[in-house]
């Protein structure tokens, strides 16, 4: 796989091209989330957790895409409307999930390029 953000490649591209390809200063970062839920929680508690999680993500001005099934929340947090995903945001959302009683364990990746990474 070619590094989309290699110095040599970026040097050849004009700002318009970098923006179109989402590389260099236009790179968009996000992180993956896998949260396993406790089996003994009621089905309604899982729905409440999902609604609360989506609200928490939305409060940071970003979005979440993924799926919620078999007691597992799995997906990616990604930027929208020019709001960048930061390490602080990742830490806050990770801590939010870990603080929930319905969640048994949480795995958050490091920040990654959402357009050019195999997540």
């Amino acid at each position: 796989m070619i590094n989309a953000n290699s110095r040599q490649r970026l040097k050849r591209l004009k700002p318009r091209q970098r923006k179109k390809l989402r590389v260099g200063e236009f790179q968009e970062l996000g992180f993956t989330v896998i949260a396993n839920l406790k089996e003994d929680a009621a089905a309604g508690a899982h729905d409440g957790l999902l609604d609360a999680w989506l609200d928490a993500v939305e409060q940071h001005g970003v979005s979440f895409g993924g799926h919620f099934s078999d007691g597992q929340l799995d997906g990616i947090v990604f930027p929208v409307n020019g709001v960048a995903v930061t390490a602080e945001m990742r830490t806050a959302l990770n801590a939010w999930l870990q603080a929930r009683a319905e969640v048994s364990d949480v795995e958050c990746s490091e920040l990654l390029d959402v357009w050019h990474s195999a997540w």
Side-chain angles (χ1 to χ4, degrees):
M1 179 177 207
I2 297 172
N3 180 3
N5 286 295
S6 72
R7 185 178 300 161
Q8 188 167 350
R9 180 173 187 238
L10 292 177
K11 204 166 55 172
R12 291 190 327 242
L13 299 173
K14 295 178 179 169
R16 178 187 59 79
Q17 294 169 313
R18 290 194 304 271
K19 184 175 182 180
K20 186 173 185 174
L21 295 171
R22 294 180 170 94
V23 295
E25 67 270 32
F26 302 102
Q27 180 182 37
E28 294 181 351
L29 301 176
F31 62 94
T32 60
V33 176
I34 299 173
N36 294 308
L37 307 179
K38 294 180 180 173
E39 293 178 19
D40 59 349
H46 289 178
D47 291 340
L49 171 70
L50 180 58
D51 289 339
W53 166 247
L54 293 175
D55 287 341
V57 170
E58 195 173 289
Q59 285 176 0
H60 283 88
V62 295
S63 191
F64 174 78
H67 63 90
F68 182 69
S69 63
D70 299 328
Q72 188 177 58
L73 176 70
D74 185 8
I76 187 165
V77 175
F78 57 93
V80 290
N81 298 330
V83 177
V85 175
T86 63
E88 294 80 20
M89 189 183 299
R90 177 194 166 278
T91 303
L93 289 172
N94 187 13
W96 186 93
L97 274 172
Q98 289 179 344
R100 294 294 295 213
E102 305 95 331
V103 177
S104 61
D105 64 276
V106 179
E107 225 179 279
C108 288
S109 72
E110 295 299 319
L111 292 179
L112 53 87
D113 185 337
V114 295
W115 288 97
H116 301 285
S117 296
W119 46 272

